[in-house]
Amino acid sequence: MMRFSSIISEAWRNTISGTSRLLMTASILTVLIGGLALVHVITIGNVLRDTYQWRNAGASIHILNVPGGINGKLCESLSRIEGIHASGALRSGPTLTLAQLPQNPMSSLEVSPGMEKVLHVEAPHSQTRGGGMWVSSDLAALLSDDSSPSSLILHTDSDTSAPNIVPVSGIFPQVEDGRAPIFARNIVIPVVAHGLFDACWAEIWPESSALEQLLTYAVVNGQDDSAQAETQLFNTSLGQHFDVTKRLGPLPFWFYTAAALCFAQIIGIAFSWSRRLEGASALHAGVDRLSFVIQLTVEYGFAAILSWTVLLPILFFTSTASGIIQWNLWVSGILIVSASYLCGALGVILGALRIQENQLFALFKAR
């Protein structure tokens, strides 16, 4: 067997001289294998983008309304169940008069602590969360003295001689994208989860009718209408249901992978077969078969590395087209490409093993 360094040198000389058809092989691999990997990534990416849009719009938030019939502690405990990412209770609060809007008394809502995750409440700027009230982003802009939400202070003038100054400890997004305007102009007051509430809110994902039914667990005993109570979505503009399993189920992911593996192996066999005259000549000249097989595989590897280098950023940008970095999606595309190229290397080996020395004269006459 030839020394490994000599095999690499010979493969490199064939590559830079154009004998191995580096650019053509890399182009075919990129178009065929990369195309199938991109179809896979784009197809799943579309479902993930719709999933993100569904959850970001609040369509995964389910609401069970039973006025005066929701146990706050039981509602809060639902978030411990797998699939229920957050839960909290809500009830009507007192009417507040603000110094900024003295002619327009504002209603308020009292919520249990779990609503912080349901509403995605954030502290103004980098402030630490403390005691105070929550307001929507729209109301924060209306009440703020300047453009900085950190300066928001709510003044209740029930006692005009000594107004009660309450800081805003949280701001949550309020977007007019179809979600119910329950919090648009209401001040939200976080309270302990004691007593009875009017509604139980829960973010459920993935969608599950069984988990949705568990919201009735928070209804106190003795409520005659608890059996008839139905949940509703916080945002219905995107529809009533989003079953990600049904969306992904009929997609032929196995086909993309299988096709990529088959195409890669065919390309590998064709790569070796196109070099059969050179192979038969090398075998006739005394080069051992193992050295020749390794040489062809290395030359194919150069083309695969070039193609892989081109596809790596393309797959990355495709997997982040929704604005969110989907690392698992990117990795899945890379795995399809990498597995296909390894399968192509196997095709190169199989094709090289079929080249025989006694074919030299027939191949020479037919060239």
Side-chain angles (χ1 to χ4, degrees), residues 97 99 155-165:
T97 303
H155 304 268
T156 60
D157 60 357
S158 56
D159 182 359
T160 56
S161 61
N164 182 22
I165 300 176

Side-chain angles (χ1 to χ4, degrees), residues 54 59 62 207 209 212 233 238-244 247:
W54 177 269
H62 296 252
E207 187 177 79
S209 57
E212 185 179 340
L233 297 181
L238 300 178
Q240 293 290 337
H241 301 283
F242 186 91
D243 193 334
V244 68
R247 290 283 298 273

Side-chain angles (χ1 to χ4, degrees), residues 26 29-31 33-35 37-38 41 303-321 325-327 329-338 341:
L29 288 172
T30 301
V31 172
I33 309 305
L38 284 173
V41 169
I305 290 173
L306 177 59
S307 175
W308 194 83
T309 304
V310 172
L311 286 174
L312 193 65
I314 295 176
L315 289 171
F316 176 78
F317 287 115
T318 303
S319 63
T320 59
I325 298 179
Q326 301 287 352
W327 294 110
L329 185 58
W330 183 44
V331 170
S332 69
I334 293 175
L335 289 177
I336 291 177
V337 172
S338 301
Y341 289 172

Side-chain angles (χ1 to χ4, degrees), residues 31 64 67 120 132 191 200 288 311:
V31 172
L64 177 66
H120 302 289
V191 297
C200 181
D288 62 285
L311 286 174

Side-chain angles (χ1 to χ4, degrees), residues 286-306:
V287 177
D288 62 285
R289 182 177 297 277
L290 179 59
S291 297
F292 178 69
V293 170
I294 295 175
Q295 175 191 322
L296 283 188
T297 305
V298 171
E299 293 177 21
Y300 168 84
F302 289 151
I305 290 173
L306 177 59

Side-chain angles (χ1 to χ4, degrees), residues 26-73:
S27 298
I28 294 174
L29 288 172
T30 301
V31 172
L32 290 180
I33 309 305
L36 288 168
L38 284 173
V39 171
H40 170 85
V41 169
I42 291 172
T43 303
I44 299 181
N46 289 336
V47 177
L48 294 178
R49 184 194 62 237
D50 294 342
T51 299
Y52 173 77
Q53 182 181 5
W54 177 269
R55 297 189 65 185
N56 192 54
S60 60
I61 298 176
H62 296 252
I63 306 171
L64 177 66
N65 289 304
V66 182
I70 298 294
N71 185 307
K73 288 186 176 180

Side-chain angles (χ1 to χ4, degrees), residues 96-362:
L96 302 175
T97 303
L98 308 182
Q100 292 95 327
L101 301 170
Q103 305 301 322
N104 297 286
M106 304 190 69
S107 57
S108 67
L109 297 170
E110 295 181 346
V111 298
S112 63
M115 288 294 288
E116 178 180 340
K117 290 186 64 177
V118 175
L119 297 177
H120 302 289
V121 179
E122 296 182 356
H125 288 304
S126 300
Q127 295 180 5
T128 56
R129 184 67 46 75
M133 299 180 180
W134 305 340
V135 296
S136 67
S137 55
D138 289 345
L139 186 56
L142 180 65
L143 298 177
S144 61
D145 296 328
D146 52 39
S147 59
S148 174
S150 62
S151 65
L152 287 179
I153 300 294
L154 297 177
H155 304 268
T156 60
D157 60 357
S158 56
D159 182 359
T160 56
S161 61
N164 182 22
I165 300 176
V166 182
V168 172
S169 62
I171 297 176
F172 54 88
Q174 177 62 39
V175 184
E176 294 182 1
D177 58 355
R179 65 186 72 190
I182 300 174
F183 302 99
R185 290 294 184 266
N186 282 323
I187 298 172
V188 181
I189 307 173
V191 297
V192 294
H194 292 314
L196 299 178
F197 290 77
D198 299 329
C200 181
W201 291 47
E203 184 190 2
I204 300 175
W205 185 259
E207 187 177 79
S208 169
S209 57
L211 292 178
E212 185 179 340
Q213 289 297 320
L214 285 179
L215 267 65
T216 58
Y217 172 73
V219 179
V220 297
N221 295 329
Q223 288 290 321
D224 297 334
D225 57 346
S226 62
Q228 289 76 30
E230 294 184 358
T231 61
Q232 63 186 53
L233 297 181
F234 183 36
N235 189 341
T236 59
S237 64
L238 300 178
Q240 293 290 337
H241 301 283
F242 186 91
D243 193 334
V244 68
T245 304
K246 290 182 179 179
R247 290 283 298 273
L248 292 173
L251 299 178
F253 300 123
W254 63 269
F255 172 78
Y256 301 140
T257 304
L261 295 175
C262 291
F263 278 136
Q265 190 163 43
I266 293 173
I267 293 170
I269 294 174
F271 179 84
S272 292
W273 199 239
S274 67
R275 307 282 296 282
R276 59 191 184 278
L277 177 57
E278 177 189 343
S281 176
L283 294 174
H284 182 72
V287 177
D288 62 285
R289 182 177 297 277
L290 179 59
S291 297
F292 178 69
V293 170
I294 295 175
Q295 175 191 322
L296 283 188
T297 305
V298 171
E299 293 177 21
Y300 168 84
F302 289 151
I305 290 173
L306 177 59
S307 175
W308 194 83
T309 304
V310 172
L311 286 174
L312 193 65
I314 295 176
L315 289 171
F316 176 78
F317 287 115
T318 303
S319 63
T320 59
S322 62
I324 310 168
I325 298 179
Q326 301 287 352
W327 294 110
N328 292 339
L329 185 58
W330 183 44
V331 170
S332 69
I334 293 175
L335 289 177
I336 291 177
V337 172
S338 301
S340 298
Y341 289 172
L342 289 176
C343 197
L346 178 61
V348 172
I349 295 173
L350 293 176
L353 290 175
R354 291 184 59 84
I355 299 174
Q356 302 297 326
E357 179 185 349
N358 57 17
Q359 298 173 334
L360 175 61
F361 295 106

